[in-house]
Amino acid sequence: MKRLKLVEFSLKHPVAVIVFSVIITLIMASFLPRVQYDNDPENMLAKNEPIRLFHEKIKKQYSLYDFVIVGIVNEKNENGVFNVETLNNVYNLTAELQSLHKDKNGKTCVIKPSAHSAKKEKIYPDLKAKNALDSFLNFVFRHNPEKLFHNGESAIISREIISPSAVDNLRQAELGSLKVEYLMEKPISTNKEAAQIQTDAMNNPLYKDTIVSKNGKALCLYIPIKEKVYSYNVAHLVKQLTKDWKHDKVYITGLPVA
């Protein structure tokens, strides 16, 4: 009987029901900014959980970092990622991430190296929300997409980036000596140079199937960060820096990119 009366009231006073529903929704929505969100999967375990304590101990003992991992895949070129365009893209991306800083006006800035001159180009990546939904989510989660600096310095530990242009390569030199250089010393311009990088990478067991895939179709950049809280923003930065890549697919993962 009560349900029938409620239905009857709703049919006779639809405007009142709608207004009441909107008011209740707005009241509930007003509590959203007070909600604390935690997207760190480690916090699914208690702080005194043995496996978590062991994990933190090992990280501290061996100076390990949390990483944002970027995978670059090229399945269209017959040489996979070992072609001039892809390798130069990776070289430039590495240099840009290593150069992350704030200019004198406080704007986030990276420097793109030039293959043809000593002049370097300054790039100001647009990290702000592109639409109303992103702006709303940033507001609800109290997220600043331009937060890429830790105590005034880059949140990326640039000296520890693992990339073809940032890892050592040992090569035979004259008179039986060894030459130490980077796997990719500088931007390249010929397929012969790309093939040499592929040979050096595949002949090094530390790089084969870690930095580069066995079939040559993919390679990885490992970007260490000072705290996990920066992972999403670093991933967002990578997306902005690679948005103009034409033939390479970019995949990003890490703990946590959420």
Side-chain angles (χ1 to χ4, degrees), residues 84 87-88 91-92 113-116 184-189 193:
V84 174
L87 288 176
N88 283 342
Y91 182 93
N92 289 338
S114 173
H116 306 291
M184 184 176 178
E185 283 280 306
K186 58 184 179 181
I188 60 175
S189 56
E193 292 174 296

Side-chain angles (χ1 to χ4, degrees), residues 183-241:
L183 184 60
M184 184 176 178
E185 283 280 306
K186 58 184 179 181
I188 60 175
S189 56
T190 66
N191 290 328
K192 183 179 179 180
E193 292 174 296
Q196 183 61 57
I197 293 172
Q198 180 177 15
T199 299
D200 291 341
M202 293 302 181
N203 288 338
N204 192 320
L206 294 176
Y207 303 154
K208 185 178 179 180
D209 277 341
T210 54
I211 296 180
V212 298
S213 64
K214 187 185 299 183
N215 64 5
K217 299 295 184 181
L219 62 81
C220 276
L221 272 69
Y222 298 84
I223 308 169
I225 53 178
K226 294 181 177 178
E227 290 184 7
K228 282 176 291 194
V229 68
Y230 299 106
S231 60
Y232 178 86
N233 285 359
V234 170
H236 185 51
L237 172 64
V238 171
K239 289 179 182 178
Q240 290 301 308
L241 295 176

Side-chain angles (χ1 to χ4, degrees), residues 65-256:
Y65 309 102
D66 291 300
F67 283 88
V68 171
I69 303 171
V70 181
I72 295 96
V73 177
N74 189 318
E75 296 178 315
K76 296 182 178 180
N77 192 291
E78 60 180 356
N79 296 316
V81 294
F82 293 100
N83 65 80
V84 174
E85 180 184 359
T86 300
L87 288 176
N88 283 342
N89 280 342
V90 173
Y91 182 93
N92 289 338
L93 176 60
T94 303
E96 289 161 4
L97 293 172
Q98 290 174 328
S99 69
L100 178 66
H101 68 283
K102 286 188 177 181
D103 69 1
K104 60 182 179 181
N105 297 317
K107 293 184 178 180
T108 300
C109 176
V110 299
I111 298 176
K112 181 177 181 178
S114 173
H116 306 291
S117 69
K119 188 177 180 181
K120 297 181 179 180
E121 178 187 357
K122 286 187 176 182
I123 297 176
Y124 295 89
D126 184 9
L127 303 173
K128 295 181 179 179
K130 301 297 187 298
N131 52 57
L133 176 60
D134 287 343
S135 297
F136 174 73
L137 291 175
N138 287 339
F139 170 75
V140 171
F141 287 96
R142 293 184 292 279
H143 172 244
N144 176 10
E146 297 189 76
K147 186 178 179 182
L148 285 163
F149 300 92
H150 183 83
N151 296 330
E153 296 181 350
S154 172
I156 296 173
I157 307 172
S158 59
R159 68 181 184 279
E160 299 288 351
I161 289 179
I162 300 175
S163 163
S165 61
V167 294
D168 293 332
N169 180 43
L170 295 176
R171 300 183 65 180
Q172 185 73 41
E174 297 178 356
L175 302 176
S177 62
L178 292 175
K179 182 179 181 182
V180 181
E181 58 185 9
Y182 291 123
L183 184 60
M184 184 176 178
E185 283 280 306
K186 58 184 179 181
I188 60 175
S189 56
T190 66
N191 290 328
K192 183 179 179 180
E193 292 174 296
Q196 183 61 57
I197 293 172
Q198 180 177 15
T199 299
D200 291 341
M202 293 302 181
N203 288 338
N204 192 320
L206 294 176
Y207 303 154
K208 185 178 179 180
D209 277 341
T210 54
I211 296 180
V212 298
S213 64
K214 187 185 299 183
N215 64 5
K217 299 295 184 181
L219 62 81
C220 276
L221 272 69
Y222 298 84
I223 308 169
I225 53 178
K226 294 181 177 178
E227 290 184 7
K228 282 176 291 194
V229 68
Y230 299 106
S231 60
Y232 178 86
N233 285 359
V234 170
H236 185 51
L237 172 64
V238 171
K239 289 179 182 178
Q240 290 301 308
L241 295 176
T242 60
K243 65 181 180 180
D244 295 329
W245 289 13
K246 297 179 180 178
H247 304 111
D248 302 311
K249 294 181 180 179
V250 179
Y251 301 91
I252 306 173
T253 186
L255 178 68

